[in-house]
Amino acid sequence: MTPDMVDMLAMLTPLLAAAIQSGAPLLFATVGEIITERSGTLNLGVEGMMLCGALAAFVVSLGTGSPWLGALAGCAAGALLAVLHGLATLTCGGNQVVSGLALTILGVGLADTLGAGHIGQVAPGFDPVAIPVLSSIPVLGPALFTQDALVYLSFGTPLAVWVLLFRTRWGLHLQAAGENPAAARAAGVSPLRWRWIGILAGGALCGLGGAYLSLSATHLWTTNLTAGRGWIAVALVIFCAWRPQRAMLGAYLFGGVMALQLRLQAMGAALPSSLLLMMPYAMTVLALVAFSRAKSRAAGRNLPPAALGVPLAGPQGGEGR
Amino acid sequence: MPLRLVDRTKPLPWGGFFVATISLAAALAVCALLLTWQGKPGLHGVWLLVDGGFLHGYALEDAVRKAIPIFLCSLGVALCFRMKLWNIGAEGQFALGAVGATAVALRFGHWPAWAVLPCMCLAGAAAGALWALGPALLKRRLGVNEIITTLMANYIGVLVLQYLVYGAWKDPVSFGFPMTELFSDAAQVGLLPGSRIHYGLLYCVAAGLGFWWWISRTRLGFELVVSGENSRAARFAHMPYGMLICLAMGGCGALAGVAGFLEASASVHRLQPSIMVGYGFTAVVVAWLGRLRVPAIAAFSFLLAGFRVGVENLQIELQAPAAMAGVLEGTILMAVLSGQLLNHRRLVWISRRTTP
Amino acid sequence: MRAFVVALALALLACLPMQAAAEDMKVGFIYVSPVGDAGWSWAHDQGRQAVDAMDGVSTSYVESVPEGPDAERVIAGLARKGHSLIFTTSFGYMDPTLKVAGQFPDVTFMHCSGFKTGPNMGNYFGRMYQARYLTGLVAGKMTKGNIIGYVAAFPIPEVIRGINAFTLGVREVNPKAEVRVVWTKTWYDPALEKDAAKSLLDVGADVIAQHQDSPGPQEAAMEKGVYSIGYNSDMSSFAPKAHLTAAVWNWPVFYTEMVKQVQNKTWKPEALWWGMDTGLVDIAPMGPMVPQDVKDMVEAKKKAIIDKSFTVFAGPVKDQKGEERIKAGAMPEDKELLGMTWFVEGVVGSTE
């Protein structure tokens, strides 16, 4: 190996570690939004739910000294905000796109208003724990297995959700609510209940994604801590074709390209930073186009749930406006 | 539960108006509560908000100025919504419009106003339209979801603007700060005589009339509305569905581009990164609130603009946090949205004996 | 009826002067970010609070004002509400301030970090680069691997000037060291800023400096067990083991002085660029890990800057290509410093 290659290899481990870390909040939120959309509801309020989750997690961890309670509070805050989305879209039959946007605007406003007093404080958060044996695997070990507890949780979440969605009766019911509510109802499954479950579970995971930012990525709270990551998550859901296992690919690809452009700068690449910063966004579109081309071969596999965004008709739900 | 929601056979007469009024009142009440919770006079705060946004000559002028870009972007987004296209890329199209207009202004600034301004407007519209056509073509040819492409195009569009302003277009006498040189007098859109409102208002009137005429009086406009409501029927009727997609997206891009041109030329008189303040996202909200009705879009643009202006008054007088604007806007939206329920449903008490 | 009108007019007239006398002088501030950003606007707001505590003065502020047409409206709003002195605290407010100053000739305007003045508008800034230079000295002494990382927001002259002064300080005590710059293109994304710092740690940096508002980079340095240098305020509470020192703003001294000048009618529209001698810019107390001889050396240099026996950016200063940009023996002109868009020798990175 030439010295250059040794250098590149030495950079690979930190790059992987960074990709996993900056991908983790995206991963939680993306998987959460996948659950929501699989159950038939589009929720564009991810950014607002994440930010409220980040604040709640920070405040509770600060108050109790326990980051785990903080993370739980983050989930609760995300789910609580999601209740508003459920009320507006399921109970009142409002438009899902607008309700989601309103949720983002409201959530960001609320978190920034309520959190003003906590800026400049440091809360107890999660710190990296090396897993014995596994962390000594060359190159991959340090990147994958010297992370903090929430990152390990982020490895398991997509897998667990995949099992729940595709290998359990509950998952089938939830998907039925998103694919064909009328048939679900005929089969004795209440689409309304499963859409509520989808919205709440999704909100909780988005809140957890926010909690990652204020407890793991940093141990801080500041205004607008999420800085647009919620929107990236919304895009990644489409990117990974509503499949939780592919969410890992999307989140790590995006996080990795972001981490890569920073490292290219640090290594002294004399490229304008605006162009480098375009990379993650351009890559996402390019990868999507590549998937779309492959799609003709696997027709129908990348389609959204058939009843996504379609309000429930009949006595239990509203009518679309 | 004996309470049941029952569909109204026909919507409440004037229902939309009542719902909007009640929702507005509810949102203001939430704001008052939040202010009171922070130890500030809540009701007085609401008064300051309304007073600072609508009840003075200068406040009205400010609200109209702020409403102009929101209106143009919303009109475009509404067009896409009618086609069931979720274009959330007005932000990026706005940025490219400003870039296109600035390219003309910097190169041909020495031309007389009657020559350079139309060129800037066209360049802005064209740049915005081209930026929107990318996602449109990807959708049409490859079926790529437009939400993701327009969202990514927003980020890239803003970075294109930054790249130019931090690089090639940087004003040599700005001490290296990221802004282009001031546009020549000819390249600046002026003010309506006797006011602080710029001629952009006339662009809005023209765009609004043109939009209305096109949707309700032309065949293509009719086809657009129909195919939005039922794309399969549209295909059966041999309507040019693919072209309509491009038309709606391109139209939206052009309108957002003109908004970008006006912000650069009439308000800031140069291009700088801070002209991007999220009008593209506000537009999605306004477009939905206003549906396809031009007067409603205008009214909601004005209302939201006025509240944004009013929140500044609230800040000056009560030192309320700026994030309050978000709480207010979010609450209004949620309330209006949920209020739709009352418009189309009514609560009835069903006694247990009659329920089977 | 007429008698009533006359009486009313008299009553009003009687009220007016009394009200004016009882009324405080109103001072307005506009900020580009939320005051809670823990950085730039927060530092200015400390100054506002000091002004608010003065007798006979009240203050208001508007936060998160974008630097376009919105700024013009807010500044005019403050003027209309009877604020007699208005501070606009970001570069992009320059033209709006100038425009509004023309419409309100009786109000005094002061714009931060720009270069335009008017009959009733002055501008002001602090020579933060002097503090940056001192922190550079500390960094240069404390680095072992001779790579220092610098996380920076946007390539504007203020930031570039700070990086250059810092690098001159580093190279003064350690000519072999280099300063690597990563741009984040954001002021407020702690997680991204932290990752930017990590990217610098990955290429071997063992001191992290920052021109960002959040303490994210400080955390990264502490977790890696290396040193850091803060900005805006003393950031030692975020990284007690890593924090060597910080380049800090001390806006109360400036704002209270300006208010006094306007009250005493001694205010003049000029361009003020206050240095370390006024206390507007300073460095935070150095941490316990900094050896005493380094502390003494830095203190001595600080004294030399204050009594003007030493000038940062005194020639010769070379750029990245080795070209001499400030001639040997020449003193840098303020204009040159204000518009700095090139990196000095020793910086690894691009100004684009």
Side-chain angles (χ1 to χ4, degrees):
Chain A
M1 275 196 281
T2 62
D4 268 4
M5 285 174 72
V6 177
D7 260 17
M8 292 303 281
L9 214 59
M11 287 301 291
L12 199 60
T13 303
L15 180 65
L16 270 175
I20 287 168
Q21 284 159 6
S22 47
L26 298 175
L27 192 52
F28 282 126
T30 306
V31 172
E33 181 66 11
I34 287 176
I35 299 177
T36 306
E37 293 194 14
R38 279 276 179 188
S39 75
T41 311
L42 178 70
N43 186 353
L44 293 182
V46 179
E47 179 86 358
M49 296 188 289
M50 281 180 84
L51 200 61
C52 282
L55 177 65
F58 183 85
V59 172
V60 168
S61 177
L62 196 67
T64 62
S66 158
W68 282 110
L69 282 180
L72 267 181
C75 292
L80 202 63
L81 211 59
V83 168
L84 285 182
H85 189 62
L87 285 176
T89 61
L90 294 179
T91 311
C92 299
N95 178 292
Q96 298 180 355
V97 172
V98 179
S99 169
L101 277 173
L103 204 63
T104 289
I105 300 172
L106 182 67
V108 171
L110 267 181
D112 286 350
T113 307
L114 301 178
H118 293 287
I119 291 162
Q121 295 172 328
V122 181
F126 295 97
D127 290 312
V129 185
I131 295 180
V133 187
L134 287 178
S135 61
S136 50
I137 302 172
V139 186
L140 285 181
L144 290 173
F145 301 110
T146 40
Q147 300 279 12
D148 62 57
L150 279 192
V151 176
Y152 295 133
L153 195 61
S154 78
F155 293 155
T157 305
L159 300 177
V161 169
W162 179 80
V163 171
L164 275 174
L165 275 182
F166 299 107
R167 291 288 178 272
T168 67
R169 182 189 290 272
W170 293 345
L172 292 179
H173 290 172
L174 186 125
Q175 287 194 59
E179 292 288 347
N180 193 342
R185 197 177 293 129
V189 175
S190 159
L192 183 68
R193 176 187 300 157
W194 285 100
R195 285 198 173 186
W196 264 110
I197 292 174
I199 286 178
L200 292 179
L205 277 178
C206 290
L208 188 60
Y212 178 88
L213 287 171
S214 62
L215 297 179
S216 284
T218 68
H219 300 176
L220 306 165
W221 162 255
T222 56
T223 333
N224 200 15
L225 185 71
T226 44
R229 286 177 179 79
W231 289 106
I232 304 297
V234 170
L236 286 179
V237 172
I238 308 164
F239 176 83
C240 67
W242 294 269
R243 271 175 287 179
Q245 69 276 29
R246 214 194 254 179
M248 289 185 110
L249 180 70
Y252 295 149
L253 184 71
F254 193 90
V257 179
M258 200 55 129
L260 178 68
Q261 69 88 8
L262 289 174
R263 276 152 188 83
L264 282 177
Q265 287 194 53
M267 284 157 75
L271 285 166
S273 48
S274 305
L275 295 186
L276 286 174
L277 275 168
M278 283 178 199
M279 277 170 54
Y281 310 110
M283 287 288 289
T284 308
V285 172
L286 286 180
L288 193 68
V289 170
F291 278 143
S292 302
R293 295 192 72 90
K295 187 173 113 180
S296 48
R297 268 176 276 138
R301 289 198 54 203
N302 291 328
L303 290 177
L308 175 61
V310 180
L312 296 173
Q316 281 148 314
E319 188 192 322
R321 314 264 172 242
Chain B
M1 203 167 44
L3 273 177
R4 282 278 184 279
L5 282 167
V6 174
D7 280 4
R8 289 182 193 280
T9 39
K10 55 182 179 189
L12 265 178
W14 283 89
F17 181 75
F18 285 122
V19 165
T21 313
I22 293 170
S23 320
L24 216 56
L28 291 175
V30 169
C31 257
L33 279 178
L34 204 64
L35 280 172
T36 313
W37 181 75
Q38 292 186 322
K40 287 165 179 151
L43 283 179
H44 183 54
V46 170
W47 165 249
L48 286 172
L49 182 76
V50 177
D51 179 61
F54 303 100
L55 299 184
H56 298 277
Y58 61 81
L60 286 175
E61 278 182 337
D62 284 337
V64 168
R65 283 178 63 140
K66 192 150 176 83
I68 287 171
I70 298 179
F71 174 76
L72 287 172
C73 292
S74 309
L75 218 50
V77 174
L79 197 61
C80 292
F81 280 11
R82 248 311 140 107
M83 279 286 292
K84 298 255 159 62
L85 287 169
W86 297 110
N87 174 11
I88 41 182
E91 187 79 357
Q93 292 145 19
F94 177 93
L96 263 286
V99 165
T102 304
V104 173
L106 293 181
R107 185 168 271 262
F108 304 111
H110 55 280
W111 286 4
W114 59 264
V116 71
L117 281 178
C119 285
M120 285 169 70
C121 185
L122 281 179
L130 281 177
W131 201 246
L133 274 181
L137 287 175
L138 281 177
K139 180 175 177 74
R140 192 182 153 186
R141 302 261 170 213
L142 297 169
V144 180
N145 184 301
E146 73 278 10
I147 294 182
I148 190 168
T149 45
T150 52
L151 191 64
M152 294 293 136
N154 281 343
Y155 292 102
I156 299 173
V158 172
L159 284 166
V160 166
L161 189 157
Q162 282 193 8
Y163 172 67
L164 289 167
V165 174
Y166 276 90
W169 287 359
K170 194 151 64 181
D171 180 8
V173 297
S174 75
F175 289 88
F177 285 96
M179 44 168 66
T180 65
E181 58 186 76
L182 213 56
F183 291 175
S184 66
D185 284 344
Q188 294 183 13
V189 173
L191 299 180
L192 289 165
S195 79
R196 293 188 301 115
I197 299 170
H198 55 75
Y199 277 105
L201 190 62
L202 299 187
Y203 287 73
C204 287
V205 172
L209 285 176
F211 182 88
W212 170 82
W213 175 79
W214 192 69
I215 285 289
S216 58
R217 292 284 182 274
T218 66
R219 182 179 168 80
L220 215 54
F222 168 76
E223 287 181 345
L224 184 123
V225 173
V226 169
S227 54
E229 264 153 23
N230 191 338
S231 65
R232 271 182 53 197
R235 278 174 223 244
F236 276 127
H238 297 292
M239 288 180 186
Y241 188 68
M243 193 188 81
L244 285 170
I245 288 181
C246 295
L247 210 58
M249 291 283 279
C252 174
L255 283 166
V258 171
F261 147 67
L262 285 174
E263 275 302 276
S265 168
S267 293
V268 200
H269 312 313
R270 57 160 48 115
L271 186 62
Q272 59 187 48
S274 54
I275 73 163
M276 306 301 306
V277 290
Y279 291 132
F281 293 111
T282 312
V284 177
V285 167
V286 172
W288 176 79
L289 285 172
R291 305 298 161 79
L292 206 56
R293 299 171 305 232
V294 177
I297 293 176
F300 278 111
S301 305
F302 177 71
L303 193 69
L304 282 192
F307 275 126
R308 292 205 173 163
V309 173
V311 164
E312 286 155 7
N313 192 38
L314 192 63
Q315 283 199 66
I316 295 175
E317 297 284 346
L318 293 183
Q319 309 295 292
M324 209 65 176
V327 177
L328 180 72
E329 226 172 284
T331 319
I332 293 178
L333 275 175
M334 277 292 183
V336 173
L337 199 59
S338 308
Q340 302 277 318
L341 183 72
L342 298 175
N343 200 3
H344 299 269
R345 301 280 166 82
R346 59 204 167 102
L347 273 177
V348 286
W349 186 273
I350 298 173
S351 69
R352 283 194 181 279
R353 265 168 298 160
T354 53
T355 8
Chain C
M1 183 65 201
R2 189 181 295 167
F4 174 72
V5 173
V6 171
L8 193 72
L10 279 176
L12 277 174
L13 275 176
C15 286
L16 276 176
M18 269 175 60
Q19 244 188 343
E23 225 171 62
D24 288 344
M25 172 188 178
K26 281 164 86 176
V27 182
F29 290 76
I30 77 167
Y31 304 133
V32 71
S33 51
V35 286
D37 68 0
W40 175 253
S41 295
W42 180 86
H44 282 280
D45 201 54
Q46 299 305 108
R48 180 193 66 83
Q49 288 172 18
V51 170
D52 203 55
M54 293 167 75
D55 281 337
V57 184
S58 70
T59 62
S60 5
Y61 68 88
V62 184
E63 59 178 2
S64 302
V65 180
E67 296 171 297
D70 299 279
E72 189 185 321
R73 182 176 65 240
V74 176
I75 299 166
L78 282 168
R80 220 178 269 127
K81 295 251 169 191
H83 294 81
S84 50
L85 171 59
I86 294 168
F87 293 102
T88 57
T89 63
S90 186
F91 176 78
Y93 298 149
M94 182 165 65
D95 288 335
T97 310
L98 196 65
K99 208 165 168 185
V100 178
Q103 297 161 1
F104 294 90
D106 299 333
V107 178
T108 306
F109 294 86
M110 292 211 72
H111 172 245
C112 182
S113 79
F115 51 85
K116 289 186 182 168
T117 54
N120 57 333
M121 171 182 163
N123 70 54
Y124 63 100
F125 207 14
R127 296 181 188 271
M128 179 46 86
Y129 66 89
Q130 295 175 336
R132 292 273 187 204
Y133 177 84
L134 295 180
T135 60
L137 293 176
V138 182
K141 280 284 186 193
M142 299 301 284
T143 178
K144 292 183 196 79
N146 291 338
I147 299 178
I148 294 165
Y150 202 114
V151 184
F154 287 94
I156 56 172
E158 177 198 343
V159 180
I160 293 172
R161 191 165 62 234
I163 295 172
N164 283 344
F166 178 82
T167 308
L168 289 179
V170 168
R171 305 265 283 193
E172 168 77 30
V173 295
N174 188 349
K176 278 182 291 185
E178 60 180 30
V179 175
R180 293 192 175 218
V181 178
V182 169
W183 301 109
T184 59
K185 289 283 171 86
T186 171
W187 293 108
Y188 335 99
D189 187 343
L192 181 69
E193 290 163 29
K194 190 172 177 182
D195 195 31
K198 282 185 186 163
S199 75
L200 287 159
L201 295 170
D202 290 346
V203 294
D206 57 3
V207 179
I208 296 288
Q210 66 177 81
H211 197 134
Q212 297 278 179
D213 284 346
S214 95
Q218 307 288 315
E219 276 191 356
M222 175 138 118
E223 281 166 19
K224 183 83 186 254
V226 301
Y227 296 127
S228 63
I229 284 170
Y231 173 56
N232 276 321
S233 57
D234 190 333
M235 289 182 165
S236 53
S237 61
F238 297 104
K241 284 182 208 143
H243 191 267
L244 296 171
T245 180
V248 299
W249 289 104
N250 184 14
W251 285 108
V253 283
F254 177 82
Y255 284 128
T256 49
E257 171 62 25
M258 286 303 114
V259 171
K260 275 183 211 144
Q261 283 188 8
V262 171
Q263 278 176 327
N264 304 334
K265 310 218 183 306
T266 53
W267 182 87
K268 288 189 291 293
E270 45 189 356
L272 298 173
W273 204 5
W274 282 19
M276 201 158 243
D277 47 333
T278 61
L280 172 58
V281 296
D282 204 348
I283 57 170
M286 282 170 268
M289 64 296 258
V290 181
Q292 193 58 41
D293 61 320
V294 176
K295 282 184 182 166
D296 292 343
M297 186 246 331
V298 172
E299 287 300 331
K301 213 53 170 196
K302 182 175 162 184
K303 280 208 186 68
I305 290 176
I306 289 174
D307 66 26
K308 307 224 163 38
S309 58
F310 172 77
T311 309
V312 184
F313 288 117
V317 177
K318 288 182 184 166
D319 68 9
Q320 275 174 309
K321 288 184 204 124
E323 213 171 293
E324 209 169 77
R325 297 296 284 254
I326 299 172
K327 294 273 174 295
M331 285 294 151
E333 282 183 49
D334 279 358
K335 226 178 129 183
E336 226 171 320
L337 295 183
L338 274 172
M340 202 167 235
T341 51
W342 46 273
F343 276 145
V344 299
E345 198 173 30
V347 182
V348 179
S350 153
T351 54
E352 274 189 5

